[in-house]
Amino acid sequence: MKYSKVALTILCSTLMTACASLEATVAPTQEYKSILDSRASALQQLGSATVCCSSISELQYQPLAAEQKKVIAIDGSSPAFNFPEGKSYYAAFKLPTHSGDLKITVAGLIDKTLFNPTVLLLDSQFKPTRTIGADIITYKPARLLDGDRVEGVFTIDRTYVGNPNNETYMVIYTTQATLNQTTQAMSPSKMMAKSLSVQDYGAKDPLIPHSAWGVVKIEVEDMSASALGDNFYKPVYQEAIDANTPIVDATPNKLVVPVATAATATAVATTIKPAPAMLSETEAFYQSQIEKAVKAGDIDKGMKLVNEAERAGSTKAKSVFIDAVKRSQK
């Protein structure tokens, strides 16, 4: 049986309705209908909302863990603050610090309205490092179990674990300017027609008004713990690692310390910049993790922790490792 393009479009619309019904059982926006359908109330309550604090350091920061996914509702019960771009409800987080580089995804979920997020990143002294806005956070059409959204992905560097300039805090809010704007989403019929490569005769793409309330999805990934595993590579320190890393021979838990030549040591000293002094709390954390790894018989993990700690400025990690190995051989 042959179908005309019009018939195919009708079939697509029917299938899209079925898919929409299926997604309604899993889409997180369904749980927050009252928030996403209340733009007028959101704007009115924002206008009269009392700000929580007088400075950015006083915001209510929630801890975020590596390898964590969260769905956050931002509404009239959320705190408000006077940002440089205007008053906004917000959600604020303290980022994981003892981790590899972090890949963070922030998405504003779309229903009848959209909380269009801006992300402010701060160092450990609450000084702004960068603002992530519309150049990074852009519209993404629905796909599989992910509904329509605006989404941005960015990376947090963790080369120096104890560095006070590391990005430590993240604040998600929206700006006064964006409250008067809309985001053009893709209509369901166009989405289905595009997937089947047929002409779309359906509805126009909807314009989604921005709101002071909404739903934000956050995903944090520790890139050192990702599927890349040992293939994750930072080339800056490789010479120093090669010259100074203890080596374990074929005998279980037997340690051999390589002797570097004077020429190698001089080359490393002149090409590698010293890491800043490590905080005592960070030093204690690494010592504890190194001792646990050796006690568990995981010498390889212990050596990797030594390398990471020394890159971050530790002066004691290697001696702690050697002492732990000696104790394990008794």
Side-chain angles (χ1 to χ4, degrees):
M1 182 181 294
K2 296 183 179 180
Y3 290 90
S4 66
K5 289 185 177 181
V6 174
L8 277 174
T9 303
I10 294 172
L11 176 61
C12 292
S13 299
T14 303
L15 289 173
M16 198 63 198
T17 301
C19 290
S21 297
L22 175 61
E23 185 170 342
T25 64
V26 295
T29 56
Q30 298 299 312
E31 184 180 347
Y32 303 102
K33 279 291 187 182
S34 61
I35 295 173
L36 292 162
D37 292 356
S38 305
R39 183 174 183 272
S41 296
L43 296 177
Q44 182 180 6
Q45 291 191 37
L46 175 63
S48 59
T50 302
V51 297
C52 69
C53 326
S54 58
S55 70
I56 201 78
S57 63
E58 298 172 351
L59 302 189
Q60 302 168 28
Y61 293 95
Q62 309 171 42
L64 264 185
E67 305 303 315
Q68 183 175 12
K69 297 179 182 180
K70 292 176 73 74
V71 175
I72 304 295
I74 297 178
D75 59 12
S77 64
S78 303
F81 184 73
N82 279 324
F83 295 93
E85 302 93 335
K87 185 163 62 173
S88 174
Y89 294 109
Y90 72 87
F93 305 93
K94 183 174 182 181
L95 300 172
T97 51
H98 299 296
S99 69
D101 289 353
L102 300 172
K103 175 184 174 183
I104 298 183
T105 304
V106 173
L109 306 188
I110 292 176
D111 198 89
K112 289 187 177 180
T113 64
L114 162 68
F115 182 90
N116 194 44
T118 292
V119 178
L120 174 64
L121 293 163
L122 311 160
D123 67 15
S124 64
Q125 308 301 313
F126 299 98
K127 295 177 181 177
T129 56
R130 52 180 168 153
T131 300
I132 296 173
D135 55 333
I136 301 295
I137 302 175
T138 57
Y139 172 72
K140 300 290 189 297
R143 183 176 182 272
L144 299 177
L145 297 184
D146 289 325
D148 281 350
R149 65 213 181 275
V150 292
E151 180 179 281
V153 180
F154 51 94
T155 303
I156 304 292
D157 182 80
R158 285 290 178 262
T159 302
Y160 296 122
V161 176
N163 185 358
N165 295 322
N166 273 346
E167 291 178 322
T168 308
Y169 300 97
M170 177 176 74
V171 186
I172 299 174
Y173 64 101
T174 194
T175 67
Q176 283 291 323
T178 195
L179 290 177
N180 298 318
Q181 298 173 357
T182 59
T183 290
Q184 187 173 62
M186 186 180 293
S187 69
S189 61
K190 177 177 286 187
M191 196 178 305
M192 182 62 75
K194 184 176 180 181
S195 69
L196 296 176
S197 300
V198 299
Q199 179 66 42
D200 172 40
Y201 295 98
K204 293 182 179 179
D205 290 337
L207 293 175
I208 308 300
H210 297 177
S211 176
W213 293 352
V215 181
V216 175
K217 187 176 181 180
I218 304 168
E219 182 173 349
V220 182
E221 178 185 350
D222 184 342
M223 295 172 69
S224 67
S226 70
L228 292 174
D230 291 340
N231 292 327
F232 187 77
Y233 176 56
K234 284 183 177 294
V236 178
Y237 299 98
Q238 194 58 38
E239 290 183 24
I241 294 170
D242 292 341
N244 294 291
T245 299
I247 301 174
V248 177
D249 71 6
T251 305
N253 294 339
K254 185 175 180 182
L255 183 68
V256 179
V257 180
V259 178
T261 65
T264 301
T266 302
V268 169
T270 55
T271 58
I272 304 302
K273 295 182 180 179
M278 177 177 280
L279 296 174
S280 59
E281 294 88 348
T282 308
E283 185 82 70
F285 169 81
Y286 273 112
Q287 291 180 21
S288 172
Q289 295 302 308
I290 291 168
E291 289 178 350
K292 285 182 181 178
V294 174
K295 187 176 180 180
D298 194 344
I299 300 300
D300 184 58
K301 180 178 180 181
M303 291 169 60
K304 288 180 180 179
L305 286 166
V306 170
N307 294 337
E308 182 177 314
E310 289 187 336
R311 291 200 302 270
S314 172
T315 58
K316 301 177 182 178
K318 188 180 294 182
S319 61
V320 169
F321 174 74
I322 294 172
D323 290 343
V325 172
K326 288 179 179 178
R327 288 197 303 271
S328 71
Q329 294 175 338
K330 291 181 180 178

